[in-house]
Amino acid sequence: MQLAIFLLTALLSPVALAAVEQALDRFTASLEHAAPSGQLALLELQQLNAALIQPASLYPAFGRFALPVLSQIYRFRRQCSGTLEGVPAATREFEQALCDRATLPESWFAGHAPIHPLGGSYAWHYLTRHPQAAPMLQRYLHVRERLDAFAGLGRLSDDNLDAVVGGQRWLLQRNVLWWEHDQVWRRYDAQVWQPLARQAGLQLQAAGQRCDLMLGTMCANSVSAIDKWQVWILMAAAAMIVFAPGNMWWQRRRRRQREQFILQMLTHELRTPIANLGNIVEAFRHDFDALPERAQTGFGRLADGVQRMRQLANASRHYLNADDERGILEAPTWVLLSEWLDAVAGQRQGLQFCMGQDRRLALPLYWINLCLDNVLDNAYRYGAAPVRLCASWSKGCLRLSVSDGGVLAEYRLARLQRSDLSGPGMGLGLAIVHRVMKRLKGRIRLNGPPTTFTLELPCES
């Protein structure tokens, strides 16, 4: 069935491409005569320093400065004391002027790079102490620091701002359409462009699903082509259901039996060594006080590893049962958030954690511990110190954010899971976390820099 659908897709692709190009021509022709809700001359945008558009400029420059240098600038800003050795001369001059409440002329901002090492523009940092200089320094602010300027360009997402810098001509965000035409960026609200798109037989949506024609960060699909595809695919599916149900059922049954046998064998073979390790741990536990200090630390890691292996074996045994019994592992356990986070932090050297408010939560402890361990392992193996764990609860959702001082080449979670972009084993661990969180009706998000993985899980309080 999959092969038939693939062949039909390959045959219909040229037809769909021609249809969507014609629909796009009709749409752009009608869009030219529609009144935009805002517009911005491309020349005005090109006169800006590219750093004042890039979203990465709003974060500390970990890629250009070592963490001790950034910490030194931050401490000097707060205390107005200490030294600024190793800090660029322009930054030293700027920070000293802030501490002395001295004024800087506009020529100073025109003659230096616009972005401060701590993130954000020099002009924005200066205006926190000298707000009366705002009219003079508007041109030196980042677009995110003046949201109402440039037709609201600063309200775009990070991906869309990067697309603007990259020269893309189409943007779509929250049903607001941006189009660059005749050297002018035009912004159209949904009530303007959506009726025109329907009349042209065009569907515009964010990239990530089926895409007849890629337009920067979004996709254009022909509505008529979509209908034809659905008819052909349904016909192919009906044919497969008529002619090949027996073979599909038989192959699936054989594969399930083979997988179940392998899982049963591995679970059975694991029980004996796990039991032996458990006995050894119990023997050491009785003589724990007599062990050297380094051995006591190693004993803690050994006991934790044995406990996780025992949980893994139990999980495998549960998943050999019927589907209605698998919910045992997802059954929530009531825990106090502070006690649980303290236990997690106690297993990681140097791990700092914070939380907004302590409360009792009902959590599927086995699976959430599995996901959190994978994310923390990635932070310790492939990130940079310090590693922090922050927890918050809001509107029935627990958020666990793990951040480190490292910098990734790519901050798109879907691409990071590929082996060619991630470190050894990192992509596989994230794929496991993604699948587990999806099963628990949660999700995992990635932001940065600094590199931050966030687990979001609905739970009772």
Side-chain angles (χ1 to χ4, degrees), residues 92-414:
R92 288 201 306 270
E93 180 183 357
F94 180 81
E95 293 299 328
Q96 190 63 56
L98 287 188
C99 285
D100 295 342
R101 295 284 180 175
T103 59
L104 293 173
E106 182 183 359
S107 58
W108 189 96
F109 297 92
H112 294 84
I115 300 302
H116 193 282
L118 293 182
S121 65
Y122 276 104
W124 180 84
H125 288 276
Y126 184 79
L127 291 177
T128 60
R129 301 286 179 89
H130 303 277
Q132 71 279 3
M136 177 184 69
L137 300 182
Q138 287 298 307
R139 59 183 296 192
Y140 305 105
L141 291 171
H142 192 279
V143 295
R144 286 268 178 85
E145 296 164 347
R146 39 177 169 166
L147 296 178
D148 295 328
F150 302 111
L153 188 76
R155 302 182 188 276
L156 291 176
S157 66
D158 288 358
D159 288 343
N160 280 333
L161 279 181
D162 285 333
V164 171
V165 178
Q168 301 292 347
R169 298 181 59 244
W170 292 91
L171 304 172
L172 182 63
Q173 178 170 308
R174 296 176 182 174
N175 289 327
V176 175
L177 181 68
W178 290 73
W179 178 39
E180 188 271 304
H181 178 64
D182 289 340
Q183 301 295 306
V184 176
W185 273 105
R186 306 179 182 187
R187 188 186 76 234
Y188 297 92
D189 293 332
Q191 59 268 27
V192 175
W193 72 265
Q194 286 182 348
L196 299 178
R198 284 194 294 268
Q199 292 173 9
L202 189 70
Q203 181 187 63
L204 299 178
Q205 61 186 21
Q209 302 178 8
R210 185 185 64 80
C211 193
D212 293 343
L213 180 63
M214 181 68 73
L215 297 176
T217 59
M218 68 181 193
C219 287
N221 299 320
S222 172
V223 175
S224 59
I226 292 174
D227 296 336
K228 293 178 181 178
W229 281 42
Q230 290 177 345
V231 172
W232 281 98
I233 291 174
L234 288 175
M235 291 176 60
M240 292 300 171
I241 292 174
V242 171
F243 292 105
N247 181 63
M248 291 175 58
W249 175 83
W250 175 249
Q251 294 294 337
R252 185 178 301 173
R253 184 172 182 272
R254 289 187 60 190
R255 184 171 63 251
R256 181 176 179 82
Q257 288 177 339
R258 182 168 60 251
E259 292 172 351
Q260 187 174 18
F261 170 74
I262 294 173
L263 186 57
Q264 286 174 334
M265 181 183 65
L266 292 176
T267 302
H268 181 269
E269 293 300 320
L270 279 173
R271 289 177 183 173
T272 299
I274 291 175
N276 290 337
L277 284 173
N279 293 335
I280 295 173
V281 168
E282 289 301 321
F284 276 115
R285 193 188 304 276
H286 291 298
D287 299 325
F288 180 80
D289 294 335
L291 295 175
E293 184 176 350
R294 293 183 60 184
Q296 291 179 356
T297 303
F299 171 77
R301 291 196 295 267
L302 173 63
D304 179 64
V306 172
Q307 178 63 21
R308 291 183 64 182
M309 291 175 65
R310 183 179 289 113
Q311 291 176 342
L312 178 61
N314 289 335
S316 301
R317 178 170 56 83
H318 284 301
Y319 271 77
L320 289 173
N321 297 328
D323 290 340
D324 57 350
E325 298 182 14
R326 295 180 183 177
I328 296 175
L329 295 175
E330 283 84 358
T333 302
W334 288 94
V335 295
L336 189 63
L337 184 58
S338 59
E339 293 180 355
W340 177 60
L341 291 177
D342 187 62
V344 172
Q347 300 172 7
R348 304 277 179 170
Q349 184 176 4
L351 177 60
Q352 305 173 7
F353 77 88
C354 62
M355 61 180 179
Q357 181 181 4
D358 197 11
R359 60 176 63 236
R360 297 190 67 84
L361 300 176
L363 300 175
L365 283 182
Y366 175 78
W367 289 120
I368 193 62
N369 280 331
L370 175 67
C371 294
L372 190 56
D373 284 341
N374 269 283
V375 174
L376 287 170
D377 284 343
N378 285 341
Y380 276 91
R381 291 180 184 178
Y382 311 112
V387 178
R388 296 183 177 89
L389 170 61
C390 292
S392 62
W393 187 90
S394 175
K395 298 180 180 179
C397 182
L398 174 66
R399 292 178 178 85
L400 301 170
S401 298
V402 176
S403 61
D404 63 79
V407 177
L408 299 177
E410 184 81 27
Y411 281 94
R412 294 183 180 179
L413 189 61

Side-chain angles (χ1 to χ4, degrees), residues 416-427:
L416 189 62
Q417 295 179 36
R418 300 179 184 174
S419 59
D420 58 336
L421 293 178
S422 57
M426 185 177 180

Side-chain angles (χ1 to χ4, degrees), residues 72-91:
Q72 191 178 16
I73 299 173
Y74 179 75
R75 287 194 298 270
F76 188 88
R77 172 76 65 84
R78 290 175 60 88
Q79 302 170 6
C80 285
S81 62
T83 62
L84 288 174
E85 297 180 2
V87 176
T91 306

